[in-house]
Amino acid sequence: MGLSARQIAFQALMDVEIDRSYSNIVLDHILSDFDTLPRDRAFISNLFYGVLEKKLLLDYNISQYSSKPVNELDVPVLIILRMGLYQIFFMNSVPASAAVNESVKLCKDNKLYKTSGFVNGILRSVARADELLLPNKKKGKNKYLSIKYSCPEPLIKLWRESYGDELCERILSSLDGRPPLSARTNTLRITTDELVKSFKEYGVNASASQLIPDCIQLSSTGAVEELVSYKEGLFHIQDGASQLCCKLLDAKPGHTVIDTCSAPGGKSFTIAGYMENKGRIIACDLYEHRLGLVEDGAKRLGIDIIETMCGDMSEAENLPKADRILCDVPCSGLGIIRRKPELRYKSDTGVNTLPELQYKILENCAKALKSGGILIYSTCTLNPAENGNNIRKFLREHGEFEMYPIILSDKIKRLLDEPENELTLFPEREGTDGFFISIIRRK
C-alpha cells in the first residue's frame, strides 16, 4: 500500500525543515518518487506550501495552547501540529475532526506514540476555539504584521522603512498562494497566437499577457516538460518581470551581448529571440554544471548564437567588448518568496552582505561595455541596498556612464518615486515576481 497524501507532505516538510532544501526542488523530487493521483498531488502541494507560508502564524497559535515552548518541541511533532492547524483553518475541504484524527494517525504511523495524545489535545482545543489568534497590534505593529503574514520582523521593518506601511502590507498580502506561471514564446519557431492555440488544444489554460509581448500566462499545465510544445522547443518558462527586463535591454540582430549570471538560461533564450538568432551571446555563470542547463535549453529551442563561459564575474578579465550587458546579479531573493516561501525564514538572507558582491560584479562587467552601449542591472529582490543604492553609487563613481531612461507602456505603472532609469516591480501589482531593473549607458 502506498503512502498517504499527508505522509508524503509530512516527509517533504521534514526535508525542508531539517535539510534547509528549496521547497520547489523537494516537492518535485518527492512527487516523482511516488505514484499519486492528480487529486492527491493537488492536496499535497496545497498542504506543503500552505504550512511553509503560514509557519509563524501556526507556531504562534501552537504556543498559545502548548505547555511546552514551540522551540522545545521535537521537529516531527511540530510539523504534524502545523499540518493539523493548517487543515483546520485553511482547507475547507477537510472537516476539523478529520484534521485532528489524521494528525493523530500521522503520529502513530511515524512511531510518535507518546506524543499522539499531546497532538490530539492541542488540535482539539484549537478547533473548539474556531479562530486563529494574533498578537495585540497596539503593543507592536512589526510583531503583529510578522505573525499575521508569517514574515520575520526584520523583513517587516525593512519593507516598512523602505516602502511605507501601505505598500509594505500590500506586498505581504501578495505572498500567499502559488504564483502565476509564465511562458516565453520561442518566436524563432512560432507566433504567440499559434502557441496559445496549441496549449488550449492540449487542455492547458493559456492567455497572452497584456503587459509583455510574447509572454503567456499558464495554468493547469501538469508536468510542463511532458508537453509536446515544450519538447518541440516552442517555449521556455520565464517570469514576466524577467521577460520585461530582456525587452528593455533592446538587443538587436548582430549585437554582442553578455549575460553575466545566465543559468539556467531563460534570459539568454529570450534575448536570442529579440536578436533573431543573429549575433553573439556570451552566457556566463560561476558553476560549470549550471551552464549545462543553458546549453541543453538552447539546443531544445534551436538557438545557436549562445556560447557559455564559466567564471567569477566579479573578477573575470577575459570578457569581450559588448553592445549590451545584462547584469542580473545574485541577490537575497525577497521578490520571489511566493515561489520559495522558505526564503523568508532564512537567518541570513544576505541583505547586508550581498550589495558588496553585486557592486563588484557590476563594476567589473561594465568595463566590457562598448561606447554608447547599454547595461541593465537587475535583481529579483525588494531591498533598496541591493537595488537603487548600488546603481546610484556606481553612477557617482563612474562619470563615463549615464542614466538611460526606461520607457514603459501605459499598462505598467510605477509605485515608487524613482529615477527615470529605475523600475521596481511589485508582485501585488503586476502579478510578476518582485523585481528591480535599472539601465545605464556608456557615454
Side-chain angles (χ1 to χ4, degrees):
M1 184 176 176
L3 297 179
S4 69
R6 288 177 176 84
Q7 180 65 38
I8 294 172
F10 170 75
Q11 290 184 198
L13 288 165
M14 285 287 289
D15 287 346
V16 174
E17 188 75 21
I18 294 173
D19 298 333
R20 306 298 179 190
S21 304
Y22 284 127
S23 55
N24 58 327
I25 295 174
V26 167
L27 191 62
D28 287 346
H29 283 178
I30 205 161
L31 288 178
S32 66
D33 288 341
F34 297 101
D35 185 18
T36 55
L37 297 171
R39 180 184 62 189
D40 287 339
R41 294 171 73 91
F43 180 89
I44 292 165
S45 180
N46 186 356
L47 182 55
F48 172 75
Y49 279 115
V51 168
L52 290 177
E53 290 167 355
K54 302 289 188 183
K55 188 167 79 167
L56 295 187
L57 176 61
L58 298 173
D59 284 1
Y60 178 80
N61 278 268
I62 291 168
S63 72
Q64 304 304 301
Y65 295 91
S66 174
S67 57
K68 212 174 177 184
V70 167
N71 60 4
E72 293 181 14
L73 294 174
D74 291 338
V75 172
V77 176
L78 181 56
I79 288 177
I80 290 173
L81 283 170
R82 289 171 181 164
M83 291 172 63
L85 258 73
Y86 187 81
Q87 291 170 78
I88 290 170
F89 290 106
F90 298 102
M91 298 183 78
N92 295 332
S93 62
V94 181
S97 58
V100 176
N101 293 337
E102 290 296 329
S103 298
V104 172
K105 183 177 183 298
L106 206 51
C107 286
K108 295 175 180 176
D109 289 345
N110 290 279
K111 298 181 172 58
L112 302 169
Y113 305 110
K114 293 182 179 178
T115 56
S116 61
F118 173 75
V119 167
N120 181 63
I122 287 182
L123 293 182
R124 289 195 181 281
S125 297
V126 171
R128 282 195 299 271
D130 199 33
E131 65 176 351
L132 286 168
L133 303 174
L134 290 171
N136 190 326
K137 187 176 183 178
K138 293 180 180 179
K139 291 185 178 180
K141 189 168 183 180
N142 284 352
K143 171 79 170 182
Y144 171 81
L145 292 174
S146 173
I147 299 302
K148 181 179 180 180
Y149 293 106
S150 276
C151 267
E153 288 189 59
L155 185 50
I156 302 290
K157 184 173 183 291
L158 169 67
W159 283 344
R160 288 183 70 194
E161 292 177 351
S162 301
Y163 307 123
D165 282 8
E166 181 185 349
L167 186 49
C168 169
E169 196 150 0
R170 285 162 64 182
I171 296 169
L172 292 168
S173 65
S174 75
L175 299 183
D176 287 351
R178 307 315 307 132
L181 184 66
S182 298
R184 178 71 190 181
T185 305
N186 182 2
T187 53
L188 302 174
R189 290 183 169 173
I190 195 170
T191 68
T192 293
D193 288 344
E194 291 169 337
L195 184 54
V196 168
K197 183 179 178 182
S198 172
F199 278 131
K200 291 180 178 178
E201 287 173 354
Y202 284 93
V204 175
N205 293 332
S207 60
S209 167
Q210 299 302 304
L211 299 177
I212 302 146
D214 300 314
C215 176
I216 301 175
Q217 304 291 335
L218 301 177
S219 61
S220 304
T221 60
V224 170
E225 298 82 0
E226 297 303 316
L227 294 173
V228 173
S229 51
Y230 181 86
K231 293 177 180 179
E232 292 177 345
L234 302 185
F235 72 94
H236 64 273
I237 297 299
Q238 184 183 23
D239 184 71
S242 185
Q243 292 189 39
L244 176 62
C245 180
C246 295
K247 181 181 187 305
L248 292 172
L249 189 65
D250 195 31
K252 306 291 187 185
H255 273 169
T256 295
V257 177
I258 297 174
D259 183 1
T260 62
C261 303
S262 176
K267 298 182 296 295
S268 287
F269 305 152
T270 298
I271 294 167
Y274 282 116
M275 294 171 65
E276 300 173 11
N277 203 29
K278 298 172 185 176
R280 184 186 183 197
I281 298 174
I282 299 92
C284 311
D285 202 83
L286 183 59
Y287 301 104
E288 190 75 50
H289 70 277
R290 285 178 55 79
L291 286 172
L293 300 174
V294 181
E295 292 165 354
D296 292 345
K299 183 177 180 181
R300 180 179 62 83
L301 296 163
I303 297 169
D304 56 20
I305 64 169
I306 297 175
E307 55 191 85
T308 57
M309 176 185 294
C310 186
D312 182 346
M313 291 302 106
S314 68
E315 55 187 33
E317 297 179 350
N318 55 342
L319 295 173
K321 288 295 181 181
D323 303 280
R324 300 286 186 269
I325 297 178
L326 178 52
C327 212
D328 188 48
V329 294
C331 67
S332 57
L334 301 182
I336 57 171
I337 286 177
R338 289 186 304 173
R339 300 189 187 280
K340 299 175 181 177
E342 70 282 357
L343 286 178
R344 69 182 89 182
Y345 309 120
K346 286 180 66 177
S347 57
D348 180 15
T349 58
V351 293
N352 297 315
T353 56
L354 278 168
E356 183 178 353
L357 171 63
Q358 294 159 345
Y359 190 77
K360 286 180 179 178
I361 293 173
L362 169 61
E363 199 169 37
N364 187 59
C365 292
K367 297 173 185 175
L369 192 64
K370 293 180 182 178
S371 177
I374 288 173
L375 180 149
I376 283 187
Y377 172 86
S378 62
T379 74
C380 57
T381 197
L382 298 174
N383 174 23
E386 298 177 71
N387 296 341
N389 291 7
N390 259 342
I391 203 71
R392 292 168 208 167
K393 175 184 176 184
F394 180 85
L395 288 172
R396 287 195 304 270
E397 296 182 354
H398 297 272
E400 68 274 28
F401 290 87
E402 62 186 356
M403 294 191 299
Y404 189 83
I406 295 176
I407 308 300
L408 297 171
S409 73
D410 293 339
K411 295 176 182 177
I412 300 176
K413 305 295 183 183
R414 294 180 184 273
L415 293 185
L416 295 179
D417 181 15
E418 10 181 39
E420 62 178 358
N421 70 314
E422 296 179 18
L423 173 65
T424 305
L425 295 170
F426 294 90
E428 59 83 37
R429 177 62 182 266
E430 312 298 353
T432 66
D433 290 339
F435 210 86
F436 174 79
I437 301 168
S438 180
I439 312 180
I440 58 175
R441 178 172 60 184
R442 183 183 284 275
K443 296 177 182 176

